Amino acid sequence: MEISVGSIYKQFEMVTKDFSERPALIYLDKKYTYSQLREAAESLAAALHTLGVAKGDRAIIYLPNCPQWVIAWLALLRVGALAIPISPIYTPVDLIYMANDSGATTIFCLDTNFGYVAQILPETDLKRVIVTNVGELLPWWKRLIGRGFNKIPKGKFASGEGIYTFKGLLKDGRTSSLPPLKTEGEEMVEMLYTGGTTGLPKGVPYTNIVFLESVAEQRSMSERYIPRGEDIVIQGGPLFHILGQAMGLGALLSGDTLILLPRVNLDGLMDHVQRNKALTLFGVPAMYRMILEHDRVDYYDLSSLKYCFCGGDVLPVEVAERWQKKFGKPIYTGYGTTETCGRVSLTPMGEEAPVGSAGKITPLQRVKLVDPDTLKPAPLGEPGELLVSSEHMVRAYWNKPEETAECFIEVEGRLWYRTRDIVRIDREEWLFYLDRSVDTIKHKGYRVAASEIEAVLQEHHAVIASCVVGIPDEKVGERIKAFVVLKEDVKGVSAYDLIRWCRERLVPYKVPQYIEFRDMLPKSKVGKILRRELRAEERKKLEEA
């Protein structure tokens, strides 16, 4: 994939010209060609323009994987607005924060989560709510069958000023005009939110060129064996996550076919691989383990798969070996972060990677290993904290000057991003992941800020102090454990009570699985809780078990 265009949307236009009648999307067996997808995106963009959505405006995409997600994303690019994809399981608390932090004025949502959106409208600057249903663009008979078997959930939403239906806007846009596209490489086009060390998510803004370079490097890993325009990719991760974007949206910017599933159901995923002869599968390590351990895995023919990619967390060696033995194909790995727009290291298809590596440093990235305390260069061949830099890179968080100063630093006249991850890099530039930041937990591919959970626990009237750590777990990466100190005069508060408290205030993947009560927590001489000591204790227990 060559980057010869100034914007993501122009890249999409170029691909549409080359592959106009090739299927771009497959969703529950309904196919959308590239020309049909572009027509829908242009119609929605024209309708948004008529509603007053202009260049530089921000719009939240609060949807699961579905064609409407892709159409909305492309339409926002077409009008020059900034797309802000977020998880569809976020609660009103999350929505209020992200809407206000980003300054969003438009939101796309499902009818089933319209209630959350309606709840936050008085507390935000949102002016337009665009509502859809997961099956809205399917043929009528599929919608009828889906509802008959209770497979398509349907929610209620109000009508009124500022509330529009997705399908209605598509229809209105067909007769509306749209001005020429004016957006270039260094202009912001999207923002993803990632966990913050202060407990608040941080907006990571992408420009056209940052995003295009990322998907180009990702696609180049398999292009030698699967030419552009010939791949069939099954979406094994959410589109609001950088892994899902690099692989899924990258497929659409390469002329490939993308199979979308409303959610990752293993039987549905394997059935789609079998029926559509998918060539590329991607996901987090937990997905590959679950497929191997699925009691019906042998019912499906997965032999069409050529390129299986794993990201989002460390792939256990035993999972890689079992996959190779069962399917006769390797799982290719990579390492990246939201701040680097994915791909710091990737494994080229056809290359045999050293055992335990997370890919080879990609051509457009510069890396440096340093002592995490002094930032002095780590001795040659020794592990160190990974710093990453590139010519076109994310340079700051959105509206977070303090966290920007902590994470984006200048060394020897060049800007670097501090990953807070400890890695080793060999002479051939293969990266080996050793340890993660003490403040970040990787659970099921999600980056969870320990401080966010701690803040929620400390809001409870009985809690005086808390510390949250990740416990290594082969199935999910890390499980979340909280150490809690209760106030002296408090009685009758159980671990169950605190977990329930967290469930009411956090999205499900951030809720601790374990709570351990302590009389005190280990602290440094300056009074800082020593999270690393608690993590070391838990690891020692696992080793001795």
Side-chain angles (χ1 to χ4, degrees):
M1 176 178 162
E2 296 181 3
I3 305 172
S4 57
V5 292
S7 74
I8 298 171
Y9 196 82
K10 287 179 181 176
Q11 173 69 25
F12 175 68
E13 287 181 320
M14 187 173 75
V15 166
T16 299
K17 183 178 178 181
D18 293 340
F19 303 100
S20 61
E21 298 310 308
R22 177 178 172 82
L25 290 178
I26 300 176
Y27 179 72
L28 301 179
D29 292 329
K30 177 175 171 57
K31 295 182 179 180
Y32 300 80
T33 65
Y34 272 91
S35 58
Q36 288 171 334
L37 183 59
R38 182 185 175 188
E39 181 182 348
E42 295 274 341
S43 294
L44 182 59
L48 292 175
H49 175 68
T50 301
L51 293 178
V53 178
K55 185 174 180 179
D57 287 353
R58 269 86 69 189
I60 294 172
I61 304 178
Y62 183 43
L63 299 171
N65 293 354
C66 59
Q68 296 96 306
W69 195 108
V70 177
I71 294 167
W73 187 75
L74 290 169
L76 291 170
L77 292 174
R78 178 63 181 83
V79 296
L82 191 72
I84 305 168
I86 66 171
S87 170
I89 65 171
Y90 275 152
T91 64
V93 173
D94 302 301
L95 283 176
I96 289 172
Y97 169 75
M98 291 178 187
N100 289 334
D101 182 67
S102 65
T105 53
T106 302
I107 186 168
F108 293 83
C109 72
L110 287 181
D111 50 6
T112 51
N113 55 19
F114 175 81
Y116 281 176
V117 175
Q119 186 177 328
I120 71 162
L121 289 178
E123 300 181 58
T124 68
D125 291 327
L126 292 169
K127 299 175 183 176
R128 308 169 196 87
V129 181
I130 300 164
V131 189
T132 188
N133 177 272
V134 288
E136 185 173 38
L137 300 187
L138 293 174
W140 68 268
W141 58 271
K142 282 196 174 185
R143 296 199 305 273
L144 187 65
I145 293 172
R147 286 173 185 158
F149 285 92
N150 203 27
K151 296 293 185 183
I152 300 180
K154 184 169 179 159
K156 295 181 180 180
F157 63 94
S159 58
E161 186 178 354
I163 300 172
Y164 310 89
T165 67
F166 193 95
K167 203 168 184 178
L169 290 183
L170 281 180
K171 183 179 178 181
D172 294 344
R174 293 188 191 120
T175 56
S176 303
S177 59
L178 194 58
L181 175 65
K182 292 182 180 178
T183 179
E184 295 303 328
E186 295 296 347
E187 291 181 0
M188 284 173 50
V189 288
E190 182 183 52
M191 185 158 69
L192 299 187
Y193 274 91
T194 188
T197 55
T198 63
L200 296 173
K202 301 170 291 189
V204 181
Y206 295 152
T207 62
N208 281 291
I209 191 67
V210 164
F211 192 87
L212 286 171
E213 285 187 346
S214 174
V215 299
E217 286 202 307
Q218 186 78 51
R219 184 63 177 89
S220 70
M221 293 299 106
S222 60
E223 191 168 359
R224 179 180 170 190
Y225 295 88
I226 309 173
R228 274 195 337 121
E230 296 183 14
D231 204 357
I232 301 172
V233 180
I234 189 153
Q235 183 79 23
L239 284 166
F240 61 80
H241 191 281
I242 186 55
L243 174 62
Q245 294 208 342
M247 296 294 293
L249 298 179
L252 294 176
L253 296 175
S254 302
D256 301 320
T257 297
L258 180 63
I259 303 170
L260 283 179
L261 302 173
R263 61 187 178 90
V264 178
N265 170 283
L266 292 185
D267 283 292
L269 183 146
M270 291 187 287
D271 180 59
H272 277 71
V273 169
Q274 177 177 279
R275 287 190 294 109
N276 293 286
K277 305 298 181 188
L279 302 177
T280 292
L281 169 67
F282 72 91
V284 296
M287 185 193 76
Y288 286 99
R289 180 185 290 278
M290 289 166 63
I291 290 174
L292 285 167
E293 296 175 356
H294 196 288
D295 57 4
R296 291 184 295 278
V297 64
D298 293 327
Y299 293 2
Y300 301 96
D301 179 7
L302 307 183
S303 61
S304 63
L305 291 173
K306 289 186 177 181
Y307 182 58
C308 300
F309 180 78
C310 178
D313 209 341
V314 178
L315 176 69
V317 172
E318 60 95 8
V319 173
E321 290 175 346
R322 287 170 60 195
W323 188 273
Q324 175 78 50
K325 183 177 179 180
K326 184 169 186 63
F327 297 108
K329 300 178 179 75
I331 298 176
Y332 295 97
T333 57
Y335 165 86
T337 70
T338 305
E339 288 86 347
T340 59
C341 200
R343 96 301 179 211
V344 172
S345 62
L346 296 168
T347 305
M349 187 174 175
E351 284 198 36
E352 187 173 345
V355 175
S357 79
K360 186 180 289 186
I361 303 301
T362 60
L364 296 179
Q365 300 288 2
R366 291 191 185 186
V367 297
K368 184 188 292 285
L369 298 186
V370 300
D371 181 297
D373 297 320
T374 65
L375 296 183
K376 292 182 179 179
L380 192 64
E382 293 295 312
E385 181 186 340
L386 178 66
L387 307 186
V388 184
S389 182
S390 59
E391 182 180 352
H392 303 107
M393 62 181 287
V394 174
R395 309 188 73 82
Y397 292 118
W398 180 269
N399 289 338
K400 294 284 185 294
E402 291 184 8
E403 294 201 13
T404 293
E406 289 178 6
C407 298
F408 293 88
I409 61 173
E410 191 168 299
V411 178
E412 297 174 352
R414 187 178 184 90
L415 186 68
W416 299 83
Y417 166 63
R418 292 190 68 175
T419 66
R420 309 280 183 173
D421 288 331
I422 306 300
V423 307
R424 176 173 65 83
I425 299 174
D426 70 13
R427 292 183 179 182
E428 283 73 45
E429 294 205 313
W430 291 98
L431 182 148
F432 296 82
Y433 187 93
L434 302 178
D435 198 5
R436 73 179 86 265
S437 161
V438 294
D439 296 322
T440 305
I441 299 165
K442 269 289 183 73
H443 179 65
K444 294 183 178 179
Y446 292 100
R447 290 175 68 188
V448 179
S451 54
E452 180 180 3
I453 304 169
E454 290 165 357
V456 168
L457 283 167
Q458 284 163 201
E459 288 172 3
H460 193 282
H461 70 89
V463 175
I464 193 170
S466 66
C467 183
V468 174
V469 301
I471 302 173
D473 184 279
E474 290 183 345
K475 292 186 177 180
V476 296
E478 287 182 307
R479 292 193 180 275
I480 302 170
K481 180 171 182 176
F483 296 86
V484 173
V485 178
L486 297 178
K487 296 176 182 176
E488 288 185 10
D489 58 343
V490 169
K491 293 182 180 179
V493 174
S494 67
Y496 174 77
D497 294 328
L498 294 182
I499 289 173
R500 184 175 61 183
W501 172 269
C502 291
R503 282 196 186 118
E504 292 170 355
R505 291 160 177 81
L506 295 166
V507 292
Y509 66 83
K510 295 181 180 179
V511 176
Q513 283 83 44
Y514 313 102
I515 302 254
E516 180 178 321
F517 293 106
R518 296 250 178 137
D519 292 331
M520 63 179 65
L521 298 175
K523 293 183 179 180
S524 68
K525 292 180 180 179
V526 295
K528 186 175 181 180
I529 292 175
L530 297 173
R531 197 191 312 272
R532 190 177 289 277
E533 283 194 12
L534 293 172
R535 291 177 72 234
E537 282 182 30
E538 294 302 314
R539 292 195 175 193
K540 188 175 181 180
K541 288 180 188 176
L542 288 176
E543 291 168 1
E544 293 174 350

